[in-house]
Amino acid sequence: MAISRTPPGPSAYIAFSKSYRDDRLGSYGQAWKTYGDLIHFKVLPGLDLYLAVHPEAVGHILNSHGQAYKKAVRASKPLSLLLGEGIVISEGETWRRQRRLMQPAFHQQSLWNVASVMTRFAQKRVEMWESYPNGSVINLVEQMQQLTLEIVGEALFSADMGENVDSFTHTFRRTTKFIDDQINTLFKFPLWVPTPQNRQFIQNRHTLNRIAMNLIRGRRQQQSTPHDLLAMIMGAQDADTGSRMSDQELLDEVMTLLVAGHETVSVTLAWAFHLLLKHPEVLSKLQHEIEIVLNDRPPNPDDYIRLPYTRMIIEETLRLFPPAWALPRETMIEDEIQGYQIPKKALVLVPAYFTHRHPEFWENPEEFNPERFTQAETSKRHKFAYYPFGGGPRICIGNQFALMEATLVLSTLAQRFHLEPASDKPVSIDPTFTLRPKNDLPMRLVRR
Ligand code: HEM
């Protein structure tokens, strides 16, 4: 039997390195170029980190040897300050139960039912933009966050997020900065210590919880219950005890879905508009598809399958800017990946951002080219060369929902508006929480 070795990597502890703290993405990228597809980092004495870029290793960790890994406590603990024990965080039997319970809401038939919510809110946003003077400047990231929150609220919980949209999106952004600091800062005070940051976070969490709890209370007061995800989780009974979820459990699930269901899609849409600006040839193919398929009428749910190029733009955007750019795992037992030894309790990062640029699997990886996502091209590729939605049993439950939503929203907005950059500052990436554009993409709305 071959003797397992430790993968190559830098010798210094990265926790003490300013360049890692200031530019995680750049530093990991540099290490990938220097050391190859499986890299060992010393974080602190006693804490090791492994970056697994190669699709074979990704498939091993997320799928074929997934039982040796769990979500990394270092990342899930700070996240659970906001999401509690919701489905993104939970493990084992609790997770299996949650997943079984929610899965029907994401089946194809349910998605067709909510597609009209997507087109309706996208059209409402068009009408809102039409009410602005031509050439008005908007904050694109913020606008997409509002729109995707409206959609997820109505689609999953039949709730009009209405006047809570601004408050939720603003407050949520402040909490993500805090959570990211909790994940990446070495020394932090526990939440019960009344530092200004802790107090601010608790206040923000209270605001978000109040909005989510009102959705649950509102439903309890309704006479007739819509058949939606909220009804499924509120009606679920434990098979052994017959008991229903507590208010805290319900709150955790609602908060998890509000967060997971809007942040990722909003940054995807923002990046898509940014990439279209830089690639007029792709934009004109998009406009051509929209004209041919829609013939000047607004998109309806059935158009989703008639807009393959629009969807390919979304898929290519998710390749270059996967919102969940690195999935954190922890080994529960010692493991071996491609002949290298990975000890128990090690932190393992599976970075879609780099795998999606792997030159053995992607020609001209930095180039924005939606044609990579024709059926023929997709079927030729390694299954784990592309995983914006993760993989294996923990694959994103909302992946089809997200692709449908982003496709329908992009076509609806691009049909009526051309977006031009309203700032000449270069756009850089902010990998805090999700992979966001740093300056929020101020854009000028020009009517088409
Ligand atoms: C472009 C949009 C989206 C992206 C890129 C994305 C990405 C991901 C990824 C990578 C995971 C797996 C995380 C891991 O393995 O550690 C995940 C899980 C999850 N996503 Fe998404 N997501 C998107 C949209 C959505 C939407 C629209 C919803 C709900 C409406 C959603 C709900 C969830 C849930 C509940 C999980 C946890 C699933 C589980 O652990 O069983 N996501 N997502």
mmCIF file of all heavy atoms in Angstrom, residues 62 71 87-88 95 99 102 106 152 156 256-257 260-262 264-265 268 318 322-324 327-329 387-391 393-399 401-402 405, ligand 1:
data_model
loop_
_atom_site.group_PDB
_atom_site.id
_atom_site.type_symbol
_atom_site.label_atom_id
_atom_site.label_comp_id
_atom_site.label_asym_id
_atom_site.label_seq_id
_atom_site.Cartn_x
_atom_site.Cartn_y
_atom_site.Cartn_z
ATOM 1 N N LEU A 62 -17.645 15.716 -1.477
ATOM 2 C CA LEU A 62 -19.073 16.053 -1.410
ATOM 3 C C LEU A 62 -19.959 14.832 -1.600
ATOM 4 O O LEU A 62 -21.081 14.790 -1.113
ATOM 5 C CB LEU A 62 -19.432 17.089 -2.477
ATOM 6 C CG LEU A 62 -18.787 18.469 -2.360
ATOM 7 C CD1 LEU A 62 -19.320 19.382 -3.452
ATOM 8 C CD2 LEU A 62 -19.062 19.100 -0.993
ATOM 9 N N LYS A 71 -20.400 19.370 7.716
ATOM 10 C CA LYS A 71 -20.213 20.807 7.539
ATOM 11 C C LYS A 71 -19.276 21.299 8.644
ATOM 12 O O LYS A 71 -19.417 20.886 9.795
ATOM 13 C CB LYS A 71 -21.547 21.523 7.602
ATOM 14 C CG LYS A 71 -22.458 21.106 6.458
ATOM 15 C CD LYS A 71 -23.240 22.266 5.931
ATOM 16 C CE LYS A 71 -23.940 21.880 4.645
ATOM 17 N NZ LYS A 71 -24.766 22.956 4.111
ATOM 18 N N ILE A 87 -32.168 23.981 8.086
ATOM 19 C CA ILE A 87 -31.698 22.891 7.209
ATOM 20 C C ILE A 87 -30.284 23.094 6.635
ATOM 21 O O ILE A 87 -29.583 22.129 6.349
ATOM 22 C CB ILE A 87 -32.728 22.646 6.065
ATOM 23 C CG1 ILE A 87 -32.278 21.502 5.157
ATOM 24 C CG2 ILE A 87 -33.011 23.875 5.265
ATOM 25 C CD1 ILE A 87 -33.265 21.086 4.106
ATOM 26 N N VAL A 88 -29.818 24.326 6.505
ATOM 27 C CA VAL A 88 -28.470 24.536 5.974
ATOM 28 C C VAL A 88 -27.405 24.082 6.982
ATOM 29 O O VAL A 88 -26.321 23.638 6.610
ATOM 30 C CB VAL A 88 -28.254 26.026 5.586
ATOM 31 C CG1 VAL A 88 -26.799 26.342 5.326
ATOM 32 C CG2 VAL A 88 -29.095 26.394 4.367
ATOM 33 N N TRP A 95 -31.344 16.636 9.889
ATOM 34 C CA TRP A 95 -31.256 17.150 8.513
ATOM 35 C C TRP A 95 -32.102 16.300 7.560
ATOM 36 O O TRP A 95 -32.843 16.832 6.739
ATOM 37 C CB TRP A 95 -29.790 17.188 8.031
ATOM 38 C CG TRP A 95 -29.728 17.403 6.560
ATOM 39 C CD1 TRP A 95 -29.965 18.569 5.886
ATOM 40 C CD2 TRP A 95 -29.511 16.406 5.558
ATOM 41 N NE1 TRP A 95 -29.884 18.369 4.531
ATOM 42 C CE2 TRP A 95 -29.609 17.034 4.306
ATOM 43 C CE3 TRP A 95 -29.231 15.035 5.602
ATOM 44 C CZ2 TRP A 95 -29.438 16.359 3.100
ATOM 45 C CZ3 TRP A 95 -29.059 14.354 4.394
ATOM 46 C CH2 TRP A 95 -29.165 15.015 3.165
ATOM 47 N N ARG A 99 -35.041 17.690 5.199
ATOM 48 C CA ARG A 99 -34.909 17.612 3.741
ATOM 49 C C ARG A 99 -36.125 16.880 3.139
ATOM 50 O O ARG A 99 -36.694 17.315 2.137
ATOM 51 C CB ARG A 99 -33.601 16.888 3.400
ATOM 52 C CG ARG A 99 -33.292 16.781 1.929
ATOM 53 C CD ARG A 99 -32.391 17.881 1.443
ATOM 54 N NE ARG A 99 -32.303 17.866 -0.010
ATOM 55 C CZ ARG A 99 -31.445 18.580 -0.715
ATOM 56 N NH1 ARG A 99 -30.599 19.378 -0.143
ATOM 57 N NH2 ARG A 99 -31.454 18.526 -2.020
ATOM 58 N N MET A 102 -39.170 19.167 3.166
ATOM 59 C CA MET A 102 -39.200 20.324 2.261
ATOM 60 C C MET A 102 -39.119 19.951 0.777
ATOM 61 O O MET A 102 -39.507 20.736 -0.076
ATOM 62 C CB MET A 102 -38.018 21.253 2.582
ATOM 63 C CG MET A 102 -38.157 21.911 3.924
ATOM 64 S SD MET A 102 -36.844 23.110 4.133
ATOM 65 C CE MET A 102 -36.944 23.357 5.895
ATOM 66 N N PHE A 106 -39.989 21.738 -3.782
ATOM 67 C CA PHE A 106 -39.034 22.069 -4.837
ATOM 68 C C PHE A 106 -39.126 21.109 -6.020
ATOM 69 O O PHE A 106 -38.290 21.122 -6.912
ATOM 70 C CB PHE A 106 -37.606 22.098 -4.265
ATOM 71 C CG PHE A 106 -37.430 23.211 -3.271
ATOM 72 C CD1 PHE A 106 -37.617 22.984 -1.911
ATOM 73 C CD2 PHE A 106 -37.130 24.497 -3.690
ATOM 74 C CE1 PHE A 106 -37.491 24.019 -0.985
ATOM 75 C CE2 PHE A 106 -37.007 25.535 -2.777
ATOM 76 C CZ PHE A 106 -37.181 25.299 -1.424
ATOM 77 N N VAL A 152 -39.006 35.151 -3.034
ATOM 78 C CA VAL A 152 -38.937 33.980 -2.163
ATOM 79 C C VAL A 152 -40.026 34.042 -1.078
ATOM 80 O O VAL A 152 -40.627 33.016 -0.719
ATOM 81 C CB VAL A 152 -37.498 33.796 -1.611
ATOM 82 C CG1 VAL A 152 -37.231 34.605 -0.371
ATOM 83 C CG2 VAL A 152 -37.222 32.346 -1.314
ATOM 84 N N LEU A 156 -42.522 30.824 -1.399
ATOM 85 C CA LEU A 156 -42.438 29.751 -0.402
ATOM 86 C C LEU A 156 -43.410 29.936 0.753
ATOM 87 O O LEU A 156 -43.848 28.981 1.369
ATOM 88 C CB LEU A 156 -41.016 29.642 0.156
ATOM 89 C CG LEU A 156 -39.895 29.354 -0.859
ATOM 90 C CD1 LEU A 156 -38.572 29.178 -0.140
ATOM 91 C CD2 LEU A 156 -40.203 28.115 -1.690
ATOM 92 N N THR A 256 -33.782 30.576 7.506
ATOM 93 C CA THR A 256 -32.836 29.900 6.608
ATOM 94 C C THR A 256 -33.281 30.046 5.153
ATOM 95 O O THR A 256 -32.485 30.368 4.274
ATOM 96 C CB THR A 256 -32.742 28.391 6.975
ATOM 97 O OG1 THR A 256 -32.220 28.299 8.293
ATOM 98 C CG2 THR A 256 -31.845 27.642 6.017
ATOM 99 N N LEU A 257 -34.562 29.816 4.902
ATOM 100 C CA LEU A 257 -35.029 29.854 3.514
ATOM 101 C C LEU A 257 -35.084 31.278 2.975
ATOM 102 O O LEU A 257 -34.799 31.515 1.801
ATOM 103 C CB LEU A 257 -36.378 29.146 3.391
ATOM 104 C CG LEU A 257 -36.193 27.630 3.500
ATOM 105 C CD1 LEU A 257 -37.429 26.955 4.016
ATOM 106 C CD2 LEU A 257 -35.757 27.038 2.164
ATOM 107 N N ALA A 260 -31.190 31.893 2.398
ATOM 108 C CA ALA A 260 -30.609 31.075 1.314
ATOM 109 C C ALA A 260 -31.314 31.345 -0.001
ATOM 110 O O ALA A 260 -30.711 31.267 -1.068
ATOM 111 C CB ALA A 260 -30.718 29.592 1.670
ATOM 112 N N GLY A 261 -32.586 31.681 0.069
ATOM 113 C CA GLY A 261 -33.374 31.838 -1.153
ATOM 114 C C GLY A 261 -33.245 33.192 -1.815
ATOM 115 O O GLY A 261 -33.689 33.358 -2.950
ATOM 116 N N HIS A 262 -32.647 34.195 -1.175
ATOM 117 C CA HIS A 262 -32.584 35.485 -1.873
ATOM 118 C C HIS A 262 -31.164 35.986 -2.134
ATOM 119 O O HIS A 262 -30.866 36.481 -3.208
ATOM 120 C CB HIS A 262 -33.429 36.555 -1.139
ATOM 121 C CG HIS A 262 -32.673 37.409 -0.181
ATOM 122 N ND1 HIS A 262 -32.282 36.981 1.057
ATOM 123 C CD2 HIS A 262 -32.222 38.679 -0.287
ATOM 124 C CE1 HIS A 262 -31.626 37.945 1.677
ATOM 125 N NE2 HIS A 262 -31.575 38.995 0.885
ATOM 126 N N THR A 264 -28.197 34.535 -2.702
ATOM 127 C CA THR A 264 -27.428 33.919 -3.795
ATOM 128 C C THR A 264 -27.960 34.315 -5.173
ATOM 129 O O THR A 264 -27.190 34.624 -6.078
ATOM 130 C CB THR A 264 -27.512 32.387 -3.660
ATOM 131 O OG1 THR A 264 -28.880 32.062 -3.386
ATOM 132 C CG2 THR A 264 -26.631 31.870 -2.558
ATOM 133 N N VAL A 265 -29.285 34.306 -5.319
ATOM 134 C CA VAL A 265 -29.854 34.625 -6.635
ATOM 135 C C VAL A 265 -29.610 36.106 -6.946
ATOM 136 O O VAL A 265 -29.342 36.485 -8.091
ATOM 137 C CB VAL A 265 -31.370 34.305 -6.694
ATOM 138 C CG1 VAL A 265 -31.886 34.486 -8.114
ATOM 139 C CG2 VAL A 265 -31.650 32.897 -6.235
ATOM 140 N N THR A 268 -26.114 36.634 -8.190
ATOM 141 C CA THR A 268 -25.983 36.035 -9.532
ATOM 142 C C THR A 268 -26.519 36.998 -10.582
ATOM 143 O O THR A 268 -25.877 37.246 -11.619
ATOM 144 C CB THR A 268 -26.780 34.704 -9.608
ATOM 145 O OG1 THR A 268 -26.369 33.866 -8.533
ATOM 146 C CG2 THR A 268 -26.580 34.004 -10.930
ATOM 147 N N LEU A 318 -22.653 31.818 -13.037
ATOM 148 C CA LEU A 318 -22.410 31.025 -11.822
ATOM 149 C C LEU A 318 -21.074 30.279 -11.869
ATOM 150 O O LEU A 318 -20.537 29.894 -10.854
ATOM 151 C CB LEU A 318 -23.547 30.012 -11.629
ATOM 152 C CG LEU A 318 -24.862 30.585 -11.106
ATOM 153 C CD1 LEU A 318 -26.000 29.582 -11.278
ATOM 154 C CD2 LEU A 318 -24.726 30.952 -9.634
ATOM 155 N N PRO A 322 -19.369 32.001 -8.596
ATOM 156 C CA PRO A 322 -20.282 31.165 -7.787
ATOM 157 C C PRO A 322 -20.509 31.830 -6.425
ATOM 158 O O PRO A 322 -19.543 32.028 -5.670
ATOM 159 C CB PRO A 322 -19.501 29.849 -7.620
ATOM 160 C CG PRO A 322 -18.065 30.205 -7.853
ATOM 161 C CD PRO A 322 -18.037 31.392 -8.768
ATOM 162 N N PRO A 323 -21.740 32.191 -6.090
ATOM 163 C CA PRO A 323 -21.966 32.903 -4.818
ATOM 164 C C PRO A 323 -21.401 32.137 -3.622
ATOM 165 O O PRO A 323 -20.782 32.724 -2.751
ATOM 166 C CB PRO A 323 -23.491 33.020 -4.746
ATOM 167 C CG PRO A 323 -23.954 32.945 -6.163
ATOM 168 C CD PRO A 323 -22.995 32.040 -6.861
ATOM 169 N N ALA A 324 -21.646 30.800 -3.591
ATOM 170 C CA ALA A 324 -21.055 29.989 -2.512
ATOM 171 C C ALA A 324 -19.695 29.534 -3.046
ATOM 172 O O ALA A 324 -19.559 28.425 -3.553
ATOM 173 C CB ALA A 324 -21.953 28.802 -2.198
ATOM 174 N N LEU A 327 -16.988 25.708 -0.205
ATOM 175 C CA LEU A 327 -17.818 24.992 0.760
ATOM 176 C C LEU A 327 -16.938 24.432 1.876
ATOM 177 O O LEU A 327 -16.000 23.676 1.595
ATOM 178 C CB LEU A 327 -18.575 23.853 0.065
ATOM 179 C CG LEU A 327 -19.404 24.283 -1.154
ATOM 180 C CD1 LEU A 327 -20.075 23.068 -1.794
ATOM 181 C CD2 LEU A 327 -20.442 25.324 -0.767
ATOM 182 N N PRO A 328 -17.213 24.811 3.121
ATOM 183 C CA PRO A 328 -16.365 24.352 4.223
ATOM 184 C C PRO A 328 -16.829 23.016 4.804
ATOM 185 O O PRO A 328 -17.989 22.857 5.133
ATOM 186 C CB PRO A 328 -16.518 25.471 5.269
ATOM 187 C CG PRO A 328 -17.748 26.231 4.879
ATOM 188 C CD PRO A 328 -18.228 25.773 3.547
ATOM 189 N N ARG A 329 -15.915 22.066 4.891
ATOM 190 C CA ARG A 329 -16.198 20.756 5.482
ATOM 191 C C ARG A 329 -15.168 20.441 6.554
ATOM 192 O O ARG A 329 -14.115 21.050 6.609
ATOM 193 C CB ARG A 329 -16.143 19.662 4.402
ATOM 194 C CG ARG A 329 -17.251 19.755 3.359
ATOM 195 C CD ARG A 329 -18.599 19.461 3.968
ATOM 196 N NE ARG A 329 -19.660 19.325 2.983
ATOM 197 C CZ ARG A 329 -20.443 20.318 2.558
ATOM 198 N NH1 ARG A 329 -20.269 21.538 2.993
ATOM 199 N NH2 ARG A 329 -21.414 20.094 1.689
ATOM 200 N N TYR A 387 -19.934 23.072 -9.954
ATOM 201 C CA TYR A 387 -20.860 22.752 -8.841
ATOM 202 C C TYR A 387 -21.262 24.022 -8.076
ATOM 203 O O TYR A 387 -21.061 24.102 -6.856
ATOM 204 C CB TYR A 387 -20.246 21.699 -7.899
ATOM 205 C CG TYR A 387 -18.873 22.053 -7.380
ATOM 206 C CD1 TYR A 387 -18.693 22.630 -6.129
ATOM 207 C CD2 TYR A 387 -17.738 21.819 -8.137
ATOM 208 C CE1 TYR A 387 -17.434 22.972 -5.651
ATOM 209 C CE2 TYR A 387 -16.472 22.154 -7.674
ATOM 210 C CZ TYR A 387 -16.330 22.728 -6.439
ATOM 211 O OH TYR A 387 -15.090 23.073 -5.979
ATOM 212 N N PRO A 388 -21.868 24.999 -8.764
ATOM 213 C CA PRO A 388 -22.274 26.212 -8.050
ATOM 214 C C PRO A 388 -23.296 25.915 -6.958
ATOM 215 O O PRO A 388 -23.445 26.692 -6.027
ATOM 216 C CB PRO A 388 -22.894 27.079 -9.150
ATOM 217 C CG PRO A 388 -23.312 26.128 -10.212
ATOM 218 C CD PRO A 388 -22.315 25.004 -10.170
ATOM 219 N N PHE A 389 -23.997 24.769 -7.090
ATOM 220 C CA PHE A 389 -25.019 24.409 -6.104
ATOM 221 C C PHE A 389 -24.534 23.299 -5.164
ATOM 222 O O PHE A 389 -25.327 22.665 -4.483
ATOM 223 C CB PHE A 389 -26.296 23.962 -6.819
ATOM 224 C CG PHE A 389 -26.927 25.056 -7.642
ATOM 225 C CD1 PHE A 389 -26.838 25.054 -9.028
ATOM 226 C CD2 PHE A 389 -27.593 26.105 -7.025
ATOM 227 C CE1 PHE A 389 -27.413 26.067 -9.787
ATOM 228 C CE2 PHE A 389 -28.166 27.127 -7.770
ATOM 229 C CZ PHE A 389 -28.076 27.108 -9.158
ATOM 230 N N GLY A 390 -23.222 23.063 -5.129
ATOM 231 C CA GLY A 390 -22.699 21.988 -4.306
ATOM 232 C C GLY A 390 -22.935 20.648 -4.982
ATOM 233 O O GLY A 390 -23.135 20.580 -6.207
ATOM 234 N N GLY A 391 -22.942 19.564 -4.204
ATOM 235 C CA GLY A 391 -23.139 18.241 -4.802
ATOM 236 C C GLY A 391 -23.378 17.219 -3.725
ATOM 237 O O GLY A 391 -23.261 17.504 -2.529
ATOM 238 N N PRO A 393 -25.524 14.566 -1.321
ATOM 239 C CA PRO A 393 -26.815 14.692 -0.618
ATOM 240 C C PRO A 393 -27.136 16.117 -0.176
ATOM 241 O O PRO A 393 -28.301 16.483 -0.086
ATOM 242 C CB PRO A 393 -26.650 13.799 0.616
ATOM 243 C CG PRO A 393 -25.405 13.015 0.417
ATOM 244 C CD PRO A 393 -24.596 13.627 -0.665
ATOM 245 N N ARG A 394 -26.108 16.952 0.075
ATOM 246 C CA ARG A 394 -26.373 18.312 0.555
ATOM 247 C C ARG A 394 -26.470 19.318 -0.587
ATOM 248 O O ARG A 394 -26.417 20.541 -0.360
ATOM 249 C CB ARG A 394 -25.278 18.770 1.530
ATOM 250 C CG ARG A 394 -25.094 17.934 2.783
ATOM 251 C CD ARG A 394 -26.264 17.897 3.736
ATOM 252 N NE ARG A 394 -26.713 19.122 4.314
ATOM 253 C CZ ARG A 394 -26.743 19.395 5.630
ATOM 254 N NH1 ARG A 394 -26.269 18.507 6.489
ATOM 255 N NH2 ARG A 394 -27.253 20.512 6.081
ATOM 256 N N ILE A 395 -26.648 18.836 -1.793
ATOM 257 C CA ILE A 395 -26.787 19.759 -2.931
ATOM 258 C C ILE A 395 -27.945 20.721 -2.670
ATOM 259 O O ILE A 395 -28.925 20.361 -2.004
ATOM 260 C CB ILE A 395 -27.009 18.966 -4.248
ATOM 261 C CG1 ILE A 395 -26.810 19.888 -5.454
ATOM 262 C CG2 ILE A 395 -28.370 18.294 -4.280
ATOM 263 C CD1 ILE A 395 -26.736 19.145 -6.783
ATOM 264 N N CYS A 396 -27.808 21.934 -3.172
ATOM 265 C CA CYS A 396 -28.820 22.973 -2.943
ATOM 266 C C CYS A 396 -30.223 22.467 -3.291
ATOM 267 O O CYS A 396 -30.462 22.009 -4.410
ATOM 268 C CB CYS A 396 -28.478 24.176 -3.823
ATOM 269 S SG CYS A 396 -29.718 25.472 -3.731
ATOM 270 N N ILE A 397 -31.113 22.592 -2.354
ATOM 271 C CA ILE A 397 -32.494 22.128 -2.588
ATOM 272 C C ILE A 397 -33.199 23.073 -3.573
ATOM 273 O O ILE A 397 -34.143 22.704 -4.252
ATOM 274 C CB ILE A 397 -33.265 22.034 -1.245
ATOM 275 C CG1 ILE A 397 -34.452 21.097 -1.347
ATOM 276 C CG2 ILE A 397 -33.714 23.392 -0.752
ATOM 277 C CD1 ILE A 397 -35.094 20.767 0.000
ATOM 278 N N GLY A 398 -32.697 24.319 -3.646
ATOM 279 C CA GLY A 398 -33.359 25.334 -4.483
ATOM 280 C C GLY A 398 -32.696 25.529 -5.835
ATOM 281 O O GLY A 398 -32.920 26.550 -6.490
ATOM 282 N N ASN A 399 -31.874 24.553 -6.298
ATOM 283 C CA ASN A 399 -31.108 24.808 -7.528
ATOM 284 C C ASN A 399 -31.989 25.065 -8.758
ATOM 285 O O ASN A 399 -31.744 26.005 -9.514
ATOM 286 C CB ASN A 399 -30.045 23.717 -7.783
ATOM 287 C CG ASN A 399 -30.616 22.318 -7.881
ATOM 288 O OD1 ASN A 399 -31.818 22.130 -7.691
ATOM 289 N ND2 ASN A 399 -29.779 21.336 -8.130
ATOM 290 N N PHE A 401 -35.168 25.992 -8.718
ATOM 291 C CA PHE A 401 -35.893 27.227 -8.396
ATOM 292 C C PHE A 401 -35.020 28.422 -8.808
ATOM 293 O O PHE A 401 -35.466 29.363 -9.487
ATOM 294 C CB PHE A 401 -36.154 27.233 -6.884
ATOM 295 C CG PHE A 401 -36.928 28.410 -6.344
ATOM 296 C CD1 PHE A 401 -38.217 28.247 -5.852
ATOM 297 C CD2 PHE A 401 -36.366 29.675 -6.300
ATOM 298 C CE1 PHE A 401 -38.936 29.328 -5.323
ATOM 299 C CE2 PHE A 401 -37.063 30.758 -5.771
ATOM 300 C CZ PHE A 401 -38.337 30.588 -5.283
ATOM 301 N N ALA A 402 -33.733 28.369 -8.423
ATOM 302 C CA ALA A 402 -32.827 29.497 -8.656
ATOM 303 C C ALA A 402 -32.588 29.720 -10.155
ATOM 304 O O ALA A 402 -32.602 30.860 -10.635
ATOM 305 C CB ALA A 402 -31.499 29.238 -7.952
ATOM 306 N N GLU A 405 -35.752 31.140 -11.681
ATOM 307 C CA GLU A 405 -35.965 32.525 -11.247
ATOM 308 C C GLU A 405 -34.998 33.475 -11.962
ATOM 309 O O GLU A 405 -35.406 34.497 -12.526
ATOM 310 C CB GLU A 405 -35.764 32.626 -9.727
ATOM 311 C CG GLU A 405 -35.913 34.039 -9.195
ATOM 312 C CD GLU A 405 -35.622 34.147 -7.698
ATOM 313 O OE1 GLU A 405 -35.260 33.135 -7.076
ATOM 314 O OE2 GLU A 405 -35.734 35.260 -7.175
HETATM 315 C C1 HEM B 1 -27.955 30.946 -7.564
HETATM 316 C C2 HEM B 1 -28.568 30.630 -6.463
HETATM 317 C C3 HEM B 1 -28.090 29.641 -5.445
HETATM 318 C C4 HEM B 1 -26.837 29.142 -5.227
HETATM 319 C C5 HEM B 1 -25.554 29.464 -5.972
HETATM 320 C C6 HEM B 1 -26.944 28.221 -4.119
HETATM 321 C C7 HEM B 1 -25.898 27.480 -3.618
HETATM 322 C C8 HEM B 1 -26.025 26.522 -2.638
HETATM 323 C C9 HEM B 1 -24.974 25.626 -2.233
HETATM 324 C C10 HEM B 1 -23.570 25.584 -2.790
HETATM 325 C C11 HEM B 1 -25.479 24.822 -1.268
HETATM 326 C C12 HEM B 1 -24.755 23.679 -0.567
HETATM 327 C C13 HEM B 1 -23.970 24.191 0.615
HETATM 328 C C14 HEM B 1 -23.053 23.118 1.180
HETATM 329 O O1 HEM B 1 -22.993 22.004 0.675
HETATM 330 O O2 HEM B 1 -22.352 23.438 2.164
HETATM 331 C C15 HEM B 1 -26.844 25.234 -1.037
HETATM 332 C C16 HEM B 1 -27.693 24.669 -0.094
HETATM 333 C C17 HEM B 1 -28.980 25.090 0.119
HETATM 334 N N1 HEM B 1 -29.691 26.010 -0.622
HETATM 335 FE FE1 HEM B 1 -29.006 27.029 -2.206
HETATM 336 N N2 HEM B 1 -28.253 28.207 -3.683
HETATM 337 C C18 HEM B 1 -28.982 29.047 -4.471
HETATM 338 C C19 HEM B 1 -30.332 29.299 -4.377
HETATM 339 C C20 HEM B 1 -31.173 28.775 -3.453
HETATM 340 C C21 HEM B 1 -32.583 29.032 -3.364
HETATM 341 C C22 HEM B 1 -33.370 29.895 -4.350
HETATM 342 C C23 HEM B 1 -33.049 28.369 -2.272
HETATM 343 C C24 HEM B 1 -34.451 28.294 -1.715
HETATM 344 C C25 HEM B 1 -35.479 28.848 -2.253
HETATM 345 C C26 HEM B 1 -31.928 27.686 -1.671
HETATM 346 C C27 HEM B 1 -31.983 26.920 -0.542
HETATM 347 C C28 HEM B 1 -30.943 26.131 -0.085
HETATM 348 C C29 HEM B 1 -31.061 25.227 1.053
HETATM 349 C C30 HEM B 1 -32.284 25.055 1.939
HETATM 350 C C31 HEM B 1 -29.828 24.573 1.173
HETATM 351 C C32 HEM B 1 -29.455 23.515 2.195
HETATM 352 C C33 HEM B 1 -29.747 22.156 1.609
HETATM 353 C C34 HEM B 1 -29.344 21.003 2.509
HETATM 354 O O3 HEM B 1 -28.371 21.096 3.242
HETATM 355 O O4 HEM B 1 -30.042 19.984 2.435
HETATM 356 N N3 HEM B 1 -30.810 27.957 -2.418
HETATM 357 N N4 HEM B 1 -27.168 26.258 -1.885
#
